[in-house]
Amino acid sequence: MAVRRARCSPGELGLAGVLTLVVERLTEQSDHKWLGVQTRTLEEFELRGVLGELLDGAPLLHQGNFASLPTPLTYEGLDSRHPHAAYRPQEDVEEILTARARKLGAEFRRGHELVRLEQDEGGVTAGIRGPDARSANPSLSAVSW
């Protein structure tokens, strides 16, 4: 089993039957950074089957700007099934994608840190430090695939 940096989500890995563990140092979601989902991203979410939930109740934006620049950005001329952006905060999008990934079998460990990753012909072993690692009795677990 080869370990590679993947360009796919935990949900997509679950669809392929791949055991997925997401290790995240943060104990909670970070403050949101963006408020909209652009045209191409909407197309990708449609391909992955999450567009309906993402658009549910989200206002559609037919023009806007990028990075607060004064030049307007319009979507009507784009060759897309979704010639608009959707106003949806990052935290909402993360919740939708996390719920989907969990439904497909992904496990999330917040407040944990990946400290070791080893691969051999028998599989992969990840060393994960838990949230009590800064205490007098740090915990370290190994997860094998």
Side-chain angles (χ1 to χ4, degrees), residues 9-27:
S9 72
E12 289 177 285
L13 292 170
L15 283 172
V18 176
L19 176 65
T20 305
L21 172 64
V22 178
V23 178
E24 172 60 63
R25 278 190 204 136
L26 298 175
T27 56

Side-chain angles (χ1 to χ4, degrees), residues 1-77:
M1 171 187 303
V3 173
R4 293 195 174 95
R5 187 173 175 203
R7 291 192 64 200
C8 56
S9 72
E12 289 177 285
L13 292 170
L15 283 172
V18 176
L19 176 65
T20 305
L21 172 64
V22 178
V23 178
E24 172 60 63
R25 278 190 204 136
L26 298 175
T27 56
E28 298 177 16
Q29 276 185 326
S30 60
D31 292 334
H32 63 271
K33 298 169 186 68
W34 43 262
L35 297 172
V37 181
Q38 298 296 322
T39 300
R40 182 66 183 134
T41 306
L42 293 174
E43 293 171 349
E44 290 295 322
F45 284 156
E46 181 178 39
L47 291 172
R48 286 155 176 79
V50 295
L51 183 63
E53 187 174 0
L54 182 94
L55 291 180
D56 187 26
L60 301 183
L61 309 171
H62 297 281
Q63 66 180 23
N65 62 15
F66 177 75
S68 299
L69 297 173
T71 305
L73 176 64
T74 58
Y75 300 100
E76 288 97 20

